[in-house]
Amino acid sequence: MSGRHIFIASICLALVMGFAPDPADCQQAGAVYQIPIRGDIELGLAPFVERSLEQARVNGAVAAILDIETPGGRVDAAQRIANAIADAEVPVYAFVNRHAYSAGAMIALAAERVYMRPGSVMGAATPVVGSGDKAPEKIVSAMRSQMRALAETRGLDPEVAAAMVDEDIEVEGVVEAGKLLTLTTSEAVEIGYAVEVEDWDALLADLGIEGAPLQGMQVNWAERIVRFLSNPIVAPFLLSLGFLGLIAEIKSPGIGIAGFAGLLSLALFFGS
């Protein structure tokens, strides 16, 4: 099967899977909304979190909990999610369920409280560019300040959050200069950055809402497509295909398949 066929089949699969009913359509008051933050954080994830938090508000949820397991992703997407958490009208908590790296750490710190499963980690939030190299100081500075602000809002030591972004920051007893900070569960608990819980039952018990029904949220079809198209592997493919299609069309003037495919790919790239 060619790469083009695989690409088309993937989009069709995303569409078909997206029409599965959303469990949130069957609501009950007093539920705890379980919002998964899984895989790469991209622009398609932000609308999903915004919709989930709005549904939690409308349906009288007692809390929303972000179930985080992510290697990180786009800073702009994480900032949009952090803003949605700040504006939420229901209490929002984070459950670091193994890993909250990079942009995932920002999302976790945006919540009212961070819970971590034993053996989990959070941090390593230095922004990088497409090549994997450290981003320019302008971007690093913005991320550093954002992390500080989130920590200050929660009454935490802002320098700890900043040390997750900038390896030049030293925090006595936590991290020395020259090393980027990533906290284990026990380390985060020791400095007041997190509460350790074994599982969901323990988390709900700590919040005083044990026995509350869990309402698992799912990505809908539109969000699924946007997440697929904004995936860091798919997006560059769309951009390359778009330019190749336009180049082929220029060399062979006329409204051909190459030109149409190029324009469609660019529309999907910039539209997602």
Side-chain angles (χ1 to χ4, degrees):
M1 182 180 290
S2 69
R4 184 182 65 179
H5 291 149
I6 293 175
F7 175 67
I8 294 174
S10 298
I11 292 181
C12 292
L13 179 61
L15 280 168
V16 172
M17 292 178 65
F19 283 106
D22 189 338
D25 291 337
C26 303
Q27 306 292 350
Q28 51 184 319
V32 174
Y33 273 56
Q34 184 180 18
I35 305 174
I37 307 292
R38 300 274 168 165
D40 291 322
I41 295 170
E42 13 66 5
L43 291 175
L45 182 63
F48 165 64
V49 175
E50 292 168 343
R51 176 177 65 85
S52 298
L53 292 176
E54 175 60 15
Q55 286 193 2
R57 180 193 69 80
V58 169
N59 293 289
V62 295
I65 301 176
L66 308 175
D67 185 9
I68 303 175
E69 162 64 300
T70 175
R74 295 185 56 140
V75 174
D76 53 353
Q79 289 174 330
R80 182 173 167 182
I81 293 171
N83 290 339
I85 295 170
D87 295 337
E89 297 183 27
V90 297
V92 182
Y93 304 95
F95 181 30
V96 178
N97 201 351
R98 299 306 182 205
H99 307 97
Y101 291 124
S102 191
M106 175 189 288
I107 293 172
L109 288 182
E112 292 189 22
R113 189 180 307 158
V114 177
Y115 289 90
M116 296 179 71
R117 175 170 284 178
S120 298
V121 290
M122 174 177 65
T126 297
V128 297
V129 294
S131 63
D133 296 325
K134 185 176 179 179
E137 174 57 24
K138 180 178 181 179
I139 298 175
V140 174
S141 176
M143 181 73 166
R144 190 167 52 228
S145 296
Q146 176 79 51
M147 293 287 280
R148 277 196 178 108
L150 291 173
E152 288 173 351
T153 300
R154 294 182 52 217
L156 302 174
D157 184 351
E159 291 306 296
V160 171
M164 294 181 184
V165 179
D166 191 343
E167 67 271 17
D168 293 331
I169 294 177
E170 179 177 1
V171 180
E172 186 176 356
V174 179
V175 64
E176 60 187 58
K179 293 185 178 180
L180 195 62
L181 178 60
T182 301
L183 295 172
T184 65
T185 299
S186 58
E187 290 170 341
V189 170
E190 184 178 353
I191 62 175
Y193 256 65
V195 176
E196 181 176 351
V197 291
E198 289 288 340
D199 50 29
W200 280 92
D201 289 339
L203 193 162
L204 296 180
D206 187 81
L207 290 173
I209 51 176
E210 58 268 43
L214 286 175
Q215 179 68 67
M217 293 298 295
Q218 292 183 359
V219 178
N220 65 26
W221 69 270
E223 294 158 350
R224 193 183 303 275
I225 292 175
V226 175
R227 291 204 68 180
F228 174 76
L229 295 176
S230 59
N231 183 280
I233 296 177
V234 176
F237 173 77
L238 287 173
L239 185 61
S240 299
L241 183 62
F243 282 118
L244 288 174
L246 292 181
I247 291 172
E249 187 66 22
I250 291 173
K251 291 185 176 181
S252 303
I255 306 300
I257 295 177
F260 176 77
L263 290 174
L264 178 60
S265 296
L266 290 176
L268 290 173
F269 174 80
F270 290 107
S272 61

